[in-house]
Amino acid sequence: MLLVLWLLALLPALAYALRPRDGAVLAPARLAVIRAALLLGAFAIAVVEAASVGHALTPATVLAAWIGATAAIAAAVVVRCVRDVDGGRGQSLDVLKEELRSRRGATRRTWRRTKRAAAAAPAWQWALGCVVAILAISAAVLAIASSPNNFDSQTYHLPRIEHWVQNASVAVYPTGIHRQVDLGPGAEYLLAHLRLLSGGDSAYNLLQYLAGVGAVLAASRITAQLGGGPTAQLATVFVLATTPEVLLQATSTQVDLVAAAWVAALATVVLDEFTRPGDADGSALRAAAPAPDALYLGLALGLIAVTKTTGLLAAAPLLLIWGIGRLVRDGHRRRPCLCGRSPGRCSRADASRAWTSRGRTVLASLAVIALGFAVAGPFLWRMQEAFGSPLGPPMLRESIGVQTADPRLLLVNALRIAQTGLDTPLFFLSDATAGAINGLANLLGVDVNDPRITFGTSQFPVPAWYPDEDRAAFPLTGLASLAGLVWFAVKGPRLRRAYAAALAVAFIGVACTVSWQPWVNRLVVFLIVLAAPAAGLLAAAMVKGVARTVGDKRRRRAAVALIAVVASLASVAGLLTVAYGYPRRLTGAWSVFSLTDMEERFVRRLEWLPQYEAAADAVAATGPETVGIVQGNDSWEYPWWILLPEGTEIVALESVVPGQDPPEPDSVDAIVCAEDLDQCADLVPEGWEFTDLGTVGYAIPGGGG
């Protein structure tokens, strides 16, 4: 916890150093936190990549890097303090003291105003705030008290970190699970720092928790940028805080919330271009904006690309809006030169300034792309070298990606994704919508489960309403956000319409590139985070409309009832999620407080625990230095890293990575297997004894099994 507190302390410190000057942007404190998170995230990835070049990814290297970062941030804080206190040069000590007293007085006045505003807030706002606080505390308890037990984390998220630590490098290594080397490793890079500094995985869940906090923070700022006041921002926070998938991910070692946080960070920086206060036409401040904006947009783009590439489907239209917006405004900046003169008499200097402004925008756009490549480039280069494509091996693209351009199949894919996300425990409604999609597919002459738009052998539909971290639907959040986006499109200002259009393009991009799968809901968490401000703004508009409605009592009652019902259902959904969610819950027979550490880790496959333990104990008794593993593409590898003696080298005896040949079976001291037992038995060297425990097996030399 001291380690986590140390790293967490750097975020507000750096945020203070980066805080924009008052009046420069909306919600400057939140923007400062987002900027600090982007810089620290990029720094952490750069450290991992740089240390890996010389196979120096070790605790000492990482510790030295963070000590250096701490010193640099401390220096930046001192510089900012001096700049804030001593706005002018050569002030006397008495003047500086008076300045400090003045600032303390302003802080006290601001605090008093905040307290008065909070005391005057309506009871329903306090109720929403209490629900959010209860859910945030409950999720924090789950994140801290739970051991990592996400299914994919057992297969590839966490084993890849152990291989990196063992190899002191993130270079591609032999493995039978291709996802350990070809899926974006951005979130695991951040976890690798915790692993190297703490020596364990006890703090792993906090990454997604903090990412969830960051995503909510960015979403609330987006709401403000789109014209929402405190009520709309509170509604946005409430909507996200009660979304089951967000709560479940916030206590997990998945990576979807990390990706969503980076996407939301990019979105809020993009909107600064259109919402930055300034002079009459905003030209003075906007003209100075490209450089810092480009820096943070580039970092956000790179962090998205290296964490989860689906986030780029939202980043692309948002960045396009930013670029077009800047170019349009660059053209408008020529107007001052026409004041009192005809266009034909505009001086060459005036025209030159206009072209210079456009040039800065073009250079800023190129800088965004270059920075994005700088962050994600090393990983993409490794994929190019290993698989001949920066996108990884064909098996990855073919299994996850859509393999057709048929508009009929793409329409069916989009409808299936929407139906799964909006699934409810009202079975008649779920059956009706699924039946309608099946009927439409038949009418169009296509198979609703066509393998070109379906992951593996999955069959549509699947029940997704239950609060399971891999499947949990979000009907309330989804419908409220969809209604808000439609409202944006129909009667919103231009910026809201552009934002809604960007999200529509992003969803279409998902439908055209991502095959439907039973766990598709967690793959679109970034869209939910981006769409939540629309729900918050719509809710605030309805509340405002209720307050203005005087004569039409029936309309007023209907609006109040709708708001109350949705808020109540959302609160219940959120509370039930933290209480009974799967695979981490606060209460019941499977509570994190009623299970042992190993039972928590195996809660999804508890029947495997005794087999893993028996195999690990038998192998450990032989005192091995190197253990070979044999497993299928979806087997659990991470338990071996937990159960086998510390310091044991673990290597894969099968490899699907071109050019990465696995070691020979007779070069290891023991072999453990998971699921693929027939293949494992074939690899056992002569004279060894193989023991089949059911799902798990092991082999050791000279008998003793």
Side-chain angles (χ1 to χ4, degrees), residues 10-11 14-15 17-19 31-47 66 69 73 76 190 262 265 292 295-300 303 371 375:
L10 298 180
L11 182 65
L14 182 57
L18 296 174
R19 191 176 189 272
L31 177 60
V33 172
I34 291 167
R35 287 178 170 181
L38 290 171
L39 282 174
L40 289 176
F43 169 77
I45 288 176
V47 168
W66 283 108
I73 291 173
L190 304 182
W262 298 139
L295 169 64
Y296 297 110
L297 289 174
L299 294 179
L303 289 166
L371 280 169
V375 175

Side-chain angles (χ1 to χ4, degrees), residues 41-352:
F43 169 77
I45 288 176
V47 168
V48 170
E49 292 287 5
S52 296
V53 173
H55 287 270
L57 186 60
T58 63
T61 302
V62 172
L63 179 61
W66 283 108
I67 290 175
T70 302
I73 291 173
V77 169
V78 171
V79 171
R80 181 58 186 265
C81 285
V82 172
R83 191 174 66 184
D84 285 347
V85 173
D86 188 7
R89 300 274 182 177
Q91 290 184 348
S92 67
L93 183 60
D94 291 337
V95 174
L96 292 177
K97 288 181 178 178
E98 183 60 32
E99 178 71 16
L100 284 174
R101 282 194 292 270
S102 174
R103 288 181 179 274
R104 284 198 296 267
T107 302
R108 292 193 197 99
R109 289 190 295 272
T110 301
W111 176 246
R112 292 192 195 101
R113 285 196 299 269
T114 303
K115 286 173 54 178
R116 285 195 295 268
W124 63 267
Q125 290 188 8
W126 277 100
L128 295 186
C130 287
V131 171
V132 171
I134 291 171
L135 293 174
I137 294 171
S138 300
V141 170
L142 280 172
I144 294 171
S146 303
S147 298
N149 60 4
N150 172 263
F151 195 104
D152 284 346
S153 296
Q154 307 278 19
T155 299
Y156 69 94
H157 286 307
L158 304 188
R160 71 198 309 188
I161 298 173
E162 298 302 319
H163 282 286
W164 297 340
V165 172
Q166 179 176 272
N167 301 335
S169 171
V170 296
V172 176
Y173 55 86
T175 177
I177 302 175
H178 70 87
R179 290 174 294 171
Q180 289 187 8
V181 295
D182 59 29
L183 285 182
E188 291 91 335
Y189 280 179
L190 304 182
L191 290 178
H193 285 263
L194 294 176
R195 170 65 178 83
L196 289 165
L197 291 175
S198 69
D201 60 12
S202 58
Y204 277 4
N205 291 334
L206 290 176
L207 175 62
Q208 281 260 109
Y209 180 82
L210 294 174
V213 173
V216 171
L217 193 74
S220 68
R221 186 171 187 267
I222 291 172
T223 304
Q225 291 172 297
L226 294 176
T231 300
Q233 294 173 51
L234 174 61
T236 299
V237 172
F238 177 79
V239 165
L240 283 178
T242 55
T243 302
E245 186 63 27
V246 172
L247 286 169
L248 292 162
Q249 289 269 331
T251 63
S252 166
T253 45
Q254 273 287 9
V255 303
D256 303 284
L257 262 184
V258 176
W262 298 139
V263 173
L266 182 141
T268 192
V269 177
V270 163
L271 292 179
D272 273 336
E273 167 59 27
F274 307 94
T275 60
R276 186 177 286 107
D279 51 18
D281 65 353
S283 60
L285 285 171
R286 288 189 186 104
D293 281 359
L295 169 64
Y296 297 110
L297 289 174
L299 294 179
L301 180 64
L303 289 166
I304 294 167
V306 79
T307 301
K308 207 172 185 73
T309 53
T310 49
L312 296 175
L313 298 172
L318 287 169
L319 287 173
L320 184 62
I321 289 174
W322 179 79
I324 292 175
R326 283 212 59 83
L327 288 174
V328 170
R329 292 178 187 279
D330 289 341
H332 291 169
R333 291 188 188 114
R334 293 187 61 182
R335 291 176 181 172
C337 79
L338 303 179
C339 182
R341 289 177 289 174
S342 64
R345 298 182 61 187
C346 185
S347 69
R348 292 184 178 180
D350 294 328
S352 176

Side-chain angles (χ1 to χ4, degrees), residues 569-590:
L569 289 175
S571 300
V572 171
L575 294 171
L576 288 177
T577 296
V578 294
Y580 296 104
Y582 190 71
R584 292 166 300 280
R585 60 177 58 172
L586 291 174
T587 60
W590 301 102

